[in-house]
Amino acid sequence: MASHLMWFRADLRVHDNLALAAACRSDDTEVLALFIAPLKQWQQHDMAPRQAAFLQSQLNALQQALAERGIPLLVKQVDDFTASIEVLREVCETHNVTSLFYNYQYEFNERQRDVAVEQALTDVTCQGFDDSVMLAPGSVMTGNHDMYKVFTPFKNAFLRRLGEDLPECVNPPKVRPAGALTGKLAPIELNYPQQSFDTTWFAADENSAQVRLRHFCQYDVASYDTQRDFPAVDGTSRLSASLALGALSPRQCLHALLKAHPDALEGKTGAVWLSELIWREFYRHLITYHPNLCKHRPFIDWTDNVQWNNDSAALTAWQQGKTGYPIVDAAMRQLNQTGWMHNRLRMIVASFLVKDLLIDWRQGERYFMSQLIDGDLAANNGGWQWAASTGTDAAPYFRIFNPTTQGERFDKQGVFIRQWLPELTDVPTTAIHTPWIWADKAQRTIDYPRPIVDHKLARNQTLAAYEAARKKN
């Protein structure tokens, strides 16, 4: 009997899954599901152990949800994408697969893999879908049919498209005619280093992600624009990890938002969070049209001339949260201990690494991926290139955050700082952003380093380095 094969990748859900819905369209065709874990490829791409644990949790929930609908999930573990192709060939032959369904991934290596799969499976019809975005790459272009290089006009065009025709969510597949699969399911265990994650902060499965989404849109999104920049406040959605692995779709986010706040498209309540979702789309569209972004290349060519500092001690201090700048250090310790960092803090620590320490942004990009539970190449690369002034629509290279004033502005009372830097518990609030000055005046000893760099001097050195690089072009 002929069968359809649904190949899951970064789309670990049964609701609003375009490829899965297409695979299940016919009631009289057997449907199988497959997930392939390319373990060495994940290591090469610096997948964080917490993200691996999160993925394993999502996979087990997906296996149960599929079984309830009569769809078995096969899980194979291989070395890399090349080995994945052979697994696909074997599964298709063994189960007489006539059609393969999958959702597109836009990263360069993944796109190359998919081309190779289509070439290898000569007797199988391959069908791909633009599932991880609200609007497909290529559907929001300039008047000259080019990809936008600046976010605001992209966003405006994107909103116009949404206003004309909202992308719909598709229903989950019904129970297959053969009925739900009975019997105890063997737990899925991935042979990849893992670190536990906090299930009170991160939705451990698709259903809890939907609950979190609805609650956020109904009760919290209205205050998002005023609270999202303050790390001591729980003012963000905490949905990025679910979006990164596809346990939640951006279309679900859009519809949940519009159900709670129908005027969000017109710039009313919810518009700021919607703008963040469009930033996510912007970066995904960009890597599709500029694949060099997936190859550690800057978008602005001349910035590759910057002479970076090769200072391993400074890099280690930044990674460990021991720079002597409290807001930077608290943020890095939050990342190291939870696998997540508040978005405002991501900008602050990225600016510090690149423009205070003059360390190559790619070092930071890679370290983030090795730690983040919500690691996503397009968004992570986009954020780092923005902070480093090397990317499209990036901050001008002469815009350099002052880490002390950033701390004073976004954690004025030092609540967040004290949460992650207990060694500063006794430092008065008036001195929490410059504890070394207080310690000297009070003749106190604190177990906290002095600043590893003088911001004013570092700023001048960075400006000179960027100006020299630009002149070389």
Side-chain angles (χ1 to χ4, degrees), residues 322-338:
K322 296 179 179 180
T323 68
Y325 286 92
I327 194 66
V328 173
D329 294 339
M332 294 304 295
R333 294 193 202 178
Q334 180 187 43
L335 173 66
N336 293 335
Q337 292 180 44
T338 71

Side-chain angles (χ1 to χ4, degrees), residues 27-312:
D27 286 341
D28 56 3
T29 305
E30 182 184 7
V31 177
L32 301 170
L34 172 67
F35 181 85
I36 305 173
L39 303 175
K40 288 186 178 179
Q41 199 91 36
W42 284 349
Q43 288 180 333
Q44 292 170 13
H45 292 175
D46 302 304
M47 180 190 278
R50 278 195 180 86
Q51 189 169 45
F54 189 64
L55 191 156
Q56 180 173 291
S57 176
Q58 304 293 336
L59 267 182
N60 277 286
L62 176 66
Q63 181 187 43
Q64 180 64 44
L66 289 170
E68 291 169 359
R69 291 162 172 81
I71 303 171
L73 174 65
L74 309 175
V75 176
K76 305 289 185 181
Q77 305 193 52
V78 298
D79 282 347
D80 52 26
F81 286 158
T82 300
S84 299
I85 299 170
E86 186 56 36
V87 167
L88 277 163
R89 195 202 316 267
E90 292 174 359
V91 170
C92 287
E93 288 179 359
T94 301
H95 297 278
N96 194 23
V97 171
T98 56
S99 293
L100 174 67
F101 299 81
Y102 55 84
N103 294 309
Y104 293 127
Q105 292 179 288
Y106 303 118
E107 297 87 351
F108 179 77
N109 288 342
E110 284 79 348
R111 290 168 70 188
Q112 295 291 99
R113 172 204 59 198
D114 290 352
V115 169
V117 165
E118 290 197 21
Q119 292 172 345
L121 302 181
T122 54
D123 298 326
V124 177
T125 301
C126 297
Q127 299 184 44
F129 299 83
D130 290 293
D131 176 80
S132 69
V133 288
M134 287 182 267
L135 299 176
S139 64
V140 183
M141 306 290 277
T142 69
N144 294 326
H145 303 290
D146 294 323
M147 175 59 202
Y148 283 97
K149 297 178 181 178
V150 179
F151 174 70
T152 299
F154 174 85
K155 172 187 168 182
N156 292 337
F158 197 97
L159 287 170
R160 284 195 298 272
R161 283 292 311 276
L162 291 182
E164 295 165 0
D165 186 24
L166 281 180
E168 292 300 322
C169 292
V170 297
N171 292 324
K174 299 175 182 177
V175 179
R176 307 299 295 167
L181 302 177
T182 57
K184 188 173 177 62
L185 296 171
I188 297 168
E189 297 183 358
L190 300 175
N191 298 323
Y192 191 89
Q194 296 186 29
Q195 254 181 305
S196 62
F197 63 94
D198 187 346
T199 55
T200 61
W201 283 106
F202 306 107
D205 55 64
E206 174 184 0
N207 290 335
S208 54
Q210 292 180 39
V211 170
R212 185 184 292 271
L213 169 64
R214 288 193 295 269
H215 185 277
F216 175 74
C217 289
Q218 289 172 10
Y219 301 107
D220 301 326
V221 79
S223 59
Y224 176 78
D225 55 339
T226 59
Q227 297 192 350
R228 68 188 181 118
D229 278 326
F230 299 95
V233 176
D234 182 19
T236 63
S237 71
R238 292 274 184 157
L239 293 170
S240 56
S242 296
L243 279 165
L245 294 183
L248 203 60
S249 82
R251 294 176 300 280
Q252 289 174 302
C253 293
L254 175 66
H255 283 278
L257 174 62
L258 294 179
K259 182 176 180 181
H261 302 284
D263 294 334
L265 289 178
E266 284 75 54
K268 303 292 177 59
T269 302
V272 175
W273 189 60
L274 176 58
S275 184
E276 292 301 309
L277 292 174
I278 298 174
W279 269 109
R280 178 181 178 276
E281 301 268 322
F282 182 52
Y283 288 141
R284 283 178 175 256
H285 288 218
L286 273 172
I287 65 169
T288 305
Y289 281 87
H290 300 280
N292 274 348
L293 296 175
C294 301
K295 302 177 183 178
H296 312 295
R297 304 292 300 169
F299 189 85
I300 301 173
D301 289 339
W302 68 260
T303 61
D304 231 5
N305 298 328
V306 174
Q307 294 299 302
W308 305 108
N309 285 337
N310 186 22
D311 189 336
S312 59

Side-chain angles (χ1 to χ4, degrees), residues 347-358:
M347 292 189 281
I348 293 172
V349 303
S351 177
F352 184 84
L353 181 74
V354 177
K355 294 181 177 176
D356 279 79
L357 301 181
L358 201 58

Side-chain angles (χ1 to χ4, degrees), residues 344-405:
R344 166 58 59 175
L345 300 179
R346 297 188 197 206
M347 292 189 281
I348 293 172
V349 303
S351 177
F352 184 84
L353 181 74
V354 177
K355 294 181 177 176
D356 279 79
L357 301 181
L358 201 58
I359 289 176
D360 193 332
W361 57 271
R362 285 161 282 221
Q363 298 260 34
E365 178 191 22
R366 184 173 185 181
Y367 187 73
F368 264 35
M369 285 300 287
S370 76
Q371 299 296 319
L372 285 172
I373 193 171
D374 62 0
D376 173 275
L377 186 146
N380 190 48
N381 179 272
W384 274 96
Q385 293 224 40
W386 183 90
S389 306
T390 63
T392 178
D393 200 26
Y397 72 89
F398 47 81
R399 181 183 295 166
I400 300 176
F401 285 169
N402 181 318
T404 302
T405 56

